[in-house]
Amino acid sequence: MPGRKVRDDCGQLAVMDALVFFSTAMVISTVLLSYIGPPERGGSGSYDCPTDPGEVLEAFLKASLGKEVRIGTPYDVLLSSGEAVGECIFVEAHLLAEGASKDAFRQLNELLLVALTNITGVHSGPHLLVVAASGDSGSPLLAIPDVPANGTDMVAANSVLPGEGGERFLAVLVLCPAAPSEVV
Amino acid sequence: MKADESAVGGFFEDLPVLAFVLAGVALLMSTGVYVSQRLDEARSEEEADALAESLLLEVLGKLRNQESSGVMPTVASVVGADLAVSLNRVTGCTVSVVMRHPNVEWLRVESFGVFEQSRTGYASALMNAIDDDGIVVILEVRVVAW
């Protein structure tokens, strides 16, 4: 009878073998692609700002204030533009440890925050914390602008503040890069 | 010629087998090509970044020693430093100096060599310098190398 085809079970086995081969090829391809990861879009780092907190903190503490700043009542002191940032922060930490009000240093703290943002970039979310080196107190003496929330992408560095006397304070710079979705 | 119907049937049964095998081979080959290209790009990027880092160290050494070793350089000496002697021997790079504190200001942009269409590397570092008023400023030195 013309056109009649003979059913062959060996042919079906061959199809199964080919399916197994194709599945294995897919698994191997998936493993290779997962090894190299997804392609990076726009680069992994920001070319806008330095991201090494140790380098930023070292340069920042050695720099001058850059403009005159007044410390409010009851001290009423005018800091000149040439004062070193590290020494100013030391003095502030010392007075805060003795019970001074944070309101007296509002202008200084705002200047420090603007300076840090200029250096690290808007999207790095800089936070400057100062703690007593003895580590007795639970919370930082000073937090500009505030204590950062817990996050997984934070990087930090610390440095002992230059100052006279037996007191020692530790400055900690924390950078909290904004997530790509938060970057406008 | 005598027609062999079982052979014709076998041919049509073999077509899906052939299709799956060819698809599997094509998948493996294309994945291999893509992965090798990505690894090659990543290696080129790392080489370019390493070149930029080494050039940055050279530039920083030159800028920081303008006055004398151990003395903080001035902004004027950083802007006027002659980098051509050190950098003209490389393929190409661009050096820029940006003031980050107390103001944000571009101080210097200089290119060396001829720009080529290739992968670029980037490195930057901060340094302190003294301006004309005696204020210690923060400068960012950036190097883009290719």
Side-chain angles (χ1 to χ4, degrees), chain A residues 1-8 11-12 14-15 18-19 21-22 24-26 28-29 32-33 35-40 46-50 55-56 58-60 62-66 81-82 85 115 118-119 121, chain B residues 5-6 8-10 12-14 16-25 27-28 31-32 34-35 38-39 45 49 60 64 72 100-104 120-122 124-128 134-138 140 142:
Chain A
M1 191 173 175
R4 184 178 62 139
K5 293 189 181 64
V6 177
R7 186 178 170 195
D8 190 348
Q12 291 182 354
V15 171
L19 266 176
F21 170 75
F22 184 70
T24 307
M26 280 190 68
I28 293 172
S29 298
L32 283 175
L33 290 173
Y35 173 73
I36 62 170
E40 293 173 356
S46 167
Y47 285 0
D48 261 354
C49 53
E55 187 185 50
V56 172
E58 182 185 350
F60 182 61
K62 287 182 186 171
S64 302
L65 286 178
S81 57
V85 167
N118 282 343
I119 296 166
Chain B
E5 290 162 354
S6 61
V8 171
F12 284 105
E13 282 177 355
D14 285 342
V17 176
L18 185 62
F20 278 118
V21 169
L22 285 177
V25 169
L27 184 64
L28 283 173
T31 304
Y34 176 71
V35 167
R38 285 283 307 277
L39 290 176
E45 273 184 19
D49 283 340
L60 284 177
R64 284 173 175 156
M72 194 177 289
R100 284 286 189 180
H101 172 75
N103 307 312
V104 178
T120 57
Y122 170 83
S124 76
L126 296 177
M127 62 178 284
N128 294 104
I135 304 292
V136 177
V137 303
I138 297 177
E140 183 187 4
R142 299 174 173 179

Side-chain angles (χ1 to χ4, degrees), chain B residues 15-66:
Chain B
L15 278 182
V17 176
L18 185 62
F20 278 118
V21 169
L22 285 177
V25 169
L27 184 64
L28 283 173
M29 283 184 62
S30 58
T31 304
V33 167
Y34 176 71
V35 167
S36 64
Q37 277 182 348
R38 285 283 307 277
L39 290 176
D40 191 48
E41 284 175 7
R43 185 182 55 81
S44 300
E45 273 184 19
E46 283 176 9
E47 285 177 358
D49 283 340
L51 176 62
E53 286 277 351
S54 68
L55 289 177
L56 178 68
L57 287 176
E58 254 186 77
V59 170
L60 284 177
K62 183 100 180 170
L63 296 179
R64 284 173 175 156
N65 290 328
Q66 286 299 299

